[in-house]
Amino acid sequence: MTSFYGEYRARDIISDEEENRVSRANVDKWIFRLLLILIGFMPLIVLAHTEEVISPLISDVSVLTSGTKGDLFTYYKSLIVLVITIIAGLLLFSKIFFMNGKFRKTILNYFLGAFVFAIVMSTILSPNITIALNGQYNRSDGAISWLCYIALMFIAMNINYPKKAINYVIYSLIPFVYINLFIITMNFIGNDLMQKTWMQKIVTIFLPDGANLAAGSQLVGTLNQWNYMSGMFAIMTVMFLTWSIVEKSWIQSIIGLITAIASMTVMFISISTSGFLTILVIVPFLIWIILKMENRIKGIIVFLIFIIVNIPIFNTLAEKDVRVWNESFGFYTNINPYLEDRVSIKEAWDKYELINKVHASDNTFELPVLAERGFSSGSGRSYIWDKTIDLLENRPLFGYGLDSLMYNFPHYNIDARAGMWDENTITDKPHNTYIGVLYGTGIIGFIAILAILVILSIIIIKSLFKKINIQYFILGYASLAYFIQAMFNDSLPGLSAVLWIIIGMMFSLIFTEKEIEESNQ
């Protein structure tokens, strides 16, 4: 056998570089196809799943107790993410070890390695190791998922793409936008799809006998909750709007523009400020890219149409539900032009306490002065962030393990009245991806994710002042939007897996262009 291979090596057959190049290109194609399946299909999965949860706490509060618990949105998403990550990873390493492939040498590799190290160590040292490994049963955002996100970015960063790769990514996400537009619109008009028998049969197809959906279950979209829908569809809005602006074909620009408007509608209906703020931050970058374009008139027209069409859509939605204003423009003002004779939450509580006030019979007895009920800034987020950061004093280096906050957060603090309105509120997540990483992986992981953000920002800012393929801004702005909304939202497989691939893909395209420039010099 040895002599057989020795003969072929001598004839330069096995080590033929042209054959390896073709093989590497084929592997890259298959990896890209897998990534497209994950981007386009995985976020749409809504299937019920039950599992036995062993809580690390003894409590009579249902969300903190052990038992059989169900999930609709994340288990099967995380399973698809894991499977595709493993397959794509094996293909990448086969390219490296058997086809004379190479990893791209970049400073990002060191930060990704540090991130992996922090996640592994934080999980091993976590006081809730099982939770830290898998994440909460209804979020699945523990160490396994985060290692997949990093691996997916690394894989996407180390393959080459076809010329129309960005368009393929865009096309794969179009069904995601319109399916969610239909779902959330049905919920908004009071015709929730989860109340339909046919939908219940679809989502419960894998449930064991005897298991049923909880009473009152609603379907607001294919992601878990309003905040995630808002953040994700702000990203989709930025992505499709940028595509419609920079795309040379008017037909594709119109498709992108309509889809951007659809995404913006979903974001408005999601009734969460995070998405709206994300878009406001990105708008100056969009204006800059319009000024950078050769065909500025087209860019201006597309952008103006986007704004003009969204005005009546917003007005219609806000008239039906005043919270649409409250969670968008209402962030900057207490005045709501759509509000008529409605009592605020605080006024309602004041009336409740006045009616139900109890007076002590002994005039010398004084009750303790309690903090006035209210929300800290960010709908209670600043209170959660403050208490979460306080926890880090005990475990600053490697944190407590990802997605385990619910089991370590100081619940039932009396000062929660002023921060979360009710001291009985159970906090299960930090509502901030960065603080979630800091809490979960400690300082090392936090520095690593910040470094990735800084490198991304530097590349985008430099690109604004140099001549590069303008389509790269589609992925670049989507990546930036992800990191912006992450200041107000947590991570989830349906959101993060998609965006970490896009981030890796953007870096790959930038590095490829740089390599071509250097080879031509």
Side-chain angles (χ1 to χ4, degrees), residues 29-232:
K29 287 179 182 178
W30 279 106
I31 292 176
F32 184 47
R33 289 166 184 163
L34 287 171
L35 297 182
L36 286 178
I37 291 172
L38 196 152
I39 289 171
F41 172 70
M42 180 273 297
L44 291 171
I45 298 173
V46 179
L47 290 171
H49 168 75
T50 60
E51 65 177 273
E52 287 294 326
V53 177
I54 307 299
S55 172
L57 300 178
I58 297 175
S59 173
D60 59 354
V61 179
S62 60
V63 294
L64 297 175
T65 57
S66 302
T68 302
K69 302 196 177 187
D71 161 66
L72 275 174
F73 299 99
T74 59
Y75 175 80
Y76 289 102
K77 285 186 177 75
S78 64
L79 188 60
I80 292 292
V81 170
L82 178 61
V83 171
I84 289 182
T85 301
I86 292 173
I87 297 173
L90 290 173
L91 287 173
L92 178 65
F93 279 99
S94 71
K95 185 179 79 167
I96 300 300
F97 292 116
F98 302 112
M99 302 170 196
N100 200 27
K102 295 180 181 179
F103 293 126
R104 284 196 165 96
K105 295 180 179 179
T106 166
I107 192 173
L108 279 169
N109 293 341
Y110 297 103
F111 291 115
L112 291 176
F115 206 173
V116 169
F117 173 74
I119 291 172
V120 171
M121 291 302 298
S122 68
T123 305
I124 293 172
L125 300 175
S126 172
N128 318 116
I129 187 169
T130 303
I131 303 296
L133 184 64
N134 299 299
Q136 294 178 37
Y137 71 93
N138 59 348
R139 287 170 42 80
S140 302
D141 203 55
I144 293 175
S145 289
W146 271 94
L147 290 173
C148 286
Y149 306 154
I150 297 170
L152 288 168
M153 176 182 169
F154 184 77
I155 292 166
M157 202 168 61
N158 283 282
I159 65 173
N160 293 316
Y161 296 91
K163 289 183 178 179
K164 295 184 178 180
I166 296 176
N167 283 355
Y168 293 148
V169 171
I170 290 287
Y171 298 149
S172 70
L173 284 166
I174 288 176
F176 172 67
V177 172
Y178 289 106
I179 289 173
N180 275 279
L181 176 63
F182 174 68
I183 293 172
I184 200 168
T185 301
M186 293 295 285
N187 179 277
F188 189 72
I189 64 177
N191 195 16
D192 185 71
L193 288 180
M194 195 57 78
Q195 312 312 314
K196 309 294 184 183
T197 303
W198 60 268
M199 178 59 75
Q200 293 178 8
K201 288 181 178 179
I202 291 174
V203 301
T204 60
I205 192 170
F206 293 130
L207 276 185
D209 293 338
N212 297 298
L213 292 174
S217 296
Q218 292 188 10
L219 188 64
V220 298
T222 62
L223 302 180
N224 290 41
Q225 192 253 4
W226 302 105
N227 289 331
Y228 305 117
M229 292 288 291
S230 177
M232 184 59 160

Side-chain angles (χ1 to χ4, degrees), residues 317-489:
L317 297 175
E319 284 182 344
K320 182 170 180 59
D321 191 331
V322 295
R323 294 178 299 169
V324 173
W325 171 276
N326 292 340
E327 298 297 333
S328 53
F329 296 100
F331 180 79
Y332 299 98
T333 176
N334 292 324
I335 300 173
N336 188 334
Y338 298 92
L339 192 61
E340 294 180 4
D341 299 326
R342 288 185 173 92
V343 179
S344 70
I345 294 176
K346 182 179 182 304
E347 290 171 337
W349 267 103
D350 288 343
K351 290 182 179 179
Y352 174 82
E353 290 187 335
L354 181 64
I355 294 171
N356 294 278
K357 187 172 290 186
V358 177
H359 297 274
S361 59
D362 185 355
N363 292 330
T364 61
F365 178 78
E366 294 184 3
L367 292 172
V369 177
L370 299 178
E372 184 179 355
R373 291 190 186 276
F375 286 103
S376 61
S377 58
S379 300
R381 281 175 170 82
S382 62
Y383 172 82
I384 295 173
W385 299 343
D386 182 58
K387 295 298 181 183
T388 302
I389 292 173
D390 286 345
L391 291 173
L392 264 296
E393 294 179 3
N394 299 322
R395 303 175 70 92
L397 196 57
F398 294 112
Y400 288 78
L402 289 162
D403 207 15
S404 63
L405 181 65
M406 183 168 69
Y407 301 103
N408 295 288
F409 192 85
H411 306 297
Y412 306 117
N413 272 7
I414 196 64
D415 56 350
R417 288 171 57 93
M420 297 291 293
W421 193 273
D422 187 355
E423 61 272 24
N424 297 308
T425 300
I426 300 297
T427 299
D428 60 347
K429 51 190 178 291
H431 294 280
N432 182 305
T433 299
Y434 303 103
I435 291 180
V437 169
L438 177 61
Y439 161 85
T441 64
I443 294 173
I444 296 177
F446 181 67
I447 291 174
I449 195 172
L450 284 186
I452 295 169
L453 171 58
V454 169
I455 294 171
L456 172 70
S457 301
I458 290 173
I459 287 178
I460 290 176
I461 292 171
K462 282 185 175 180
S463 299
L464 292 173
F465 298 96
K466 61 185 288 191
K467 188 175 181 180
I468 67 165
N469 187 334
I470 203 165
Q471 279 214 333
Y472 294 172
F473 287 104
I474 298 170
L475 302 183
Y477 285 178
S479 303
L480 190 60
Y482 168 74
F483 282 111
I484 293 169
Q485 65 84 39
M487 296 178 64
F488 311 98
N489 285 333

Side-chain angles (χ1 to χ4, degrees), residues 248-296:
K248 293 181 179 180
S249 166
W250 267 105
I251 294 176
Q252 295 190 87
S253 286
I254 292 170
I255 294 172
L257 177 59
I258 294 172
T259 309
I261 293 169
S263 299
M264 190 77 167
T265 302
V266 176
M267 190 215 72
F268 282 137
I269 298 177
S270 297
I271 308 177
S272 175
T273 310
S274 60
F276 185 75
L277 292 178
T278 299
I279 291 176
L280 288 185
V281 174
I282 295 293
V283 163
F285 291 92
L286 289 171
I287 294 173
W288 182 275
I289 202 66
I290 290 172
L291 298 176
K292 187 181 176 71
M293 290 173 57
E294 293 180 3
N295 190 354
R296 296 178 186 174

